[in-house]
Amino acid sequence: EKGGYDYFMLKEIAEQPEAIANTLLGHLEGGRIVLDEQRLSDQDLRDVDKVFVVACGTAYHAGMIAKYAIEHWTRLPVEVELASEFRYRDPVLDRSTLVVAISQSGETADTLEAVRHAKDQNARVLAICNTNGAQIPRESDAVLYTHAGPEIGVASTKCFLAQIAAAYMVGLALAQAVGTKYPDEVVSEFRALEEIPAVVEEVLEQMEAVRDLARQYAASDTVLFLGRHMGYPVALEGALKLKELAYIHAEGFAAGELKHGPIALIDDGLPVIVVMPSPEGRAVLHSKMISNVREIQARGAKTIIIAEPGDTAAAAVADHLIPIPHTPTLLQPLVSTVPMQVFAATVAQERGYDVDKPRNLAKSVTVE
Ligand code: F6R
């Protein structure tokens, strides 16, 4: 049942192209994005004037990615918050607020309570969930199911990428409802998304080099992760994967925060994994990242850079380069996450840990 893999997680990493493709399947009809169980009228969606994304853990990182895409496509204000914080605050919500709850299991206690907290204040709730008929989608006004298939490994991999794909579709559905995207633009964004599974496949074929690198750094006490813009949540996810699977101190930072503290941690030989934005995207994002990398390299960090193969500036400051094919800036997380997952799983295996069942963790956190 592990399909020839030593662990479910490795099989699930390999299943990611399919997970994304299946999640997109059937959601573009006649130039429009359609959701699954929509107990919200078109008017309800048109009336949305603010979006709140709530989730925990890895799903929260998908929410951070969703924020950037939804804001860009809809021009609506989007906030993203940990469900465990949201539920104990007094967030300002009303009938025209759309709360997007992201949960693989659909049973996470804090996310469920965040949904109830939102409903108590008359907000509309849309769930992104991988489990049919789970509690969170049952209590929501609309649902978008991720079709990643069952995820056995405790650490989320294919469900994370499927959540991101689904969140992009929510952004496009909202953009068509509020009128910031014409049908042909929705179609072209959707087509760009549909090309991603093949790109992820390509990345997966090149993972032996990442495994070698992970073995080389498996004895590290600390690994830092650095990203900016779409790369920032990917850096956080890379760090979460490494700490939960390999029990190594791992931290992700927004590159722009380096000078505000974290750069003090940089020491001789410290590995730092960097997510480089596409050099074909916004030039300022790319050049800022290059100077950040120069700063840490000058202080002795070993730089491991995930970048496009044509990125000569990144190659010049990389101790190790992990190439990923070109992708549109907003969609890059679907691709740049993959080497992070492989890195964490390999370090954990190298240290002799069970990557499917990390210590102290449960697959579904139904108690707080
Ligand atoms: C980390 C991981 C967890 C979950 C979190 C939310 O690899 O899997 O951080 O993402 O517990 O779970 P769901 O998505 O079921 O609400």
Side-chain angles (χ1 to χ4, degrees):
E1 54 195 72
K2 289 182 193 153
Y5 293 91
D6 290 341
Y7 290 100
F8 282 107
M9 184 188 169
L10 307 179
K11 173 171 175 264
E12 288 160 2
I13 288 174
E15 285 169 350
Q16 294 186 114
E18 214 184 326
I20 300 169
N22 289 343
T23 297
L24 299 175
L25 205 66
H27 284 290
L28 184 72
E29 273 179 18
R32 292 184 66 80
I33 302 289
V34 290
L35 304 176
D36 290 324
E37 295 163 21
Q38 193 167 340
R39 298 173 285 261
L40 283 175
S41 68
D42 287 351
Q43 189 60 46
D44 288 334
L45 282 184
R46 271 196 292 279
D47 287 345
V48 171
D49 64 9
K50 178 178 175 181
V51 180
F52 249 111
V53 187
V54 294
C56 303
T58 286
Y60 171 74
H61 298 150
M64 292 178 73
I65 291 163
K67 172 186 160 79
Y68 287 23
I70 298 175
E71 279 178 347
H72 184 77
W73 288 329
T74 65
R75 307 304 303 133
L76 293 171
V78 183
E79 291 192 45
V80 49
E81 191 163 19
L82 295 167
S84 54
E85 289 297 317
F86 177 90
R87 60 174 289 202
Y88 294 115
R89 283 202 302 117
D90 290 320
V92 183
L93 314 170
D94 60 30
R95 297 180 60 77
S96 38
T97 310
L98 182 72
V99 172
V100 178
I102 308 180
S103 175
Q104 176 278 129
S105 62
E107 305 288 352
T108 298
D110 279 319
T111 312
L112 178 59
E113 289 305 326
V115 165
R116 290 176 177 159
H117 192 46
K119 295 217 78 176
D120 283 347
Q121 292 168 80
N122 300 315
R124 315 294 187 172
V125 178
L126 186 153
I128 292 176
C129 183
N130 197 53
T131 314
N132 235 301
Q135 197 61 23
I136 290 170
R138 276 214 300 274
E139 296 194 22
S140 300
D141 299 302
V143 187
L144 194 48
Y145 282 108
T146 48
H147 295 281
E151 193 177 64
I152 311 291
V154 163
S156 189
T157 52
K158 62 177 181 174
C159 284
F160 177 60
L161 295 196
Q163 285 166 345
I164 298 170
Y168 288 146
M169 287 197 287
V170 170
L172 293 176
L174 270 175
Q176 78 193 2
V178 299
T180 46
K181 279 227 172 290
Y182 294 111
D184 57 332
E185 293 170 328
V186 170
V187 173
S188 64
E189 298 285 5
F190 193 88
R191 295 284 176 241
L193 258 175
E194 281 183 323
E195 286 177 20
I196 297 292
V199 179
V200 173
E201 201 66 69
E202 228 180 287
V203 172
L204 286 168
E205 281 160 18
Q206 296 164 13
M207 285 300 96
E208 208 37 60
V210 174
R211 279 187 273 273
D212 286 343
L213 201 59
R215 286 181 204 114
Q216 200 176 321
Y217 285 97
S220 307
D221 295 325
T222 296
V223 179
L224 301 185
F225 294 75
L226 210 59
R228 188 182 279 274
H229 191 249
M230 303 308 281
Y232 171 42
V234 175
L236 295 181
E237 175 62 8
L240 178 60
K241 282 288 155 295
L242 190 62
K243 73 181 79 147
E244 70 181 330
L245 294 170
Y247 321 145
I248 292 179
H249 169 230
E251 265 192 274
F253 297 109
E257 278 291 294
L258 266 178
K259 284 196 176 68
H260 301 285
I263 201 161
L265 290 170
I266 306 294
D267 205 356
D268 230 18
L270 181 81
V272 183
I273 303 188
V274 180
V275 193
M276 193 59 69
S278 171
E280 292 169 42
R282 273 160 63 194
V284 66
L285 287 178
H286 184 263
S287 65
K288 285 275 163 72
M289 281 304 291
I290 294 290
S291 50
N292 293 141
V293 176
R294 279 206 192 100
E295 282 161 358
I296 58 170
Q297 205 177 35
R299 287 163 179 82
K302 284 277 174 227
T303 58
I304 301 170
I305 307 189
I306 299 172
E308 293 181 11
D311 191 341
T312 48
V317 289
D319 289 301
H320 309 278
L321 197 69
I322 300 175
I324 52 164
H326 170 72
T327 35
T329 299
L330 283 180
L331 307 188
Q332 199 207 42
L334 289 170
V335 175
S336 52
T337 298
V338 178
M340 302 278 195
Q341 299 166 334
V342 172
F343 186 88
T346 310
V347 171
Q349 280 184 285
E350 196 63 19
R351 291 181 160 224
Y353 304 140
D354 179 343
V355 298
D356 282 340
K357 291 192 195 66
R359 67 184 182 198
N360 307 340
L361 293 173
K363 183 64 184 164
S364 183
V365 186
T366 52
V367 289
E368 300 148 41

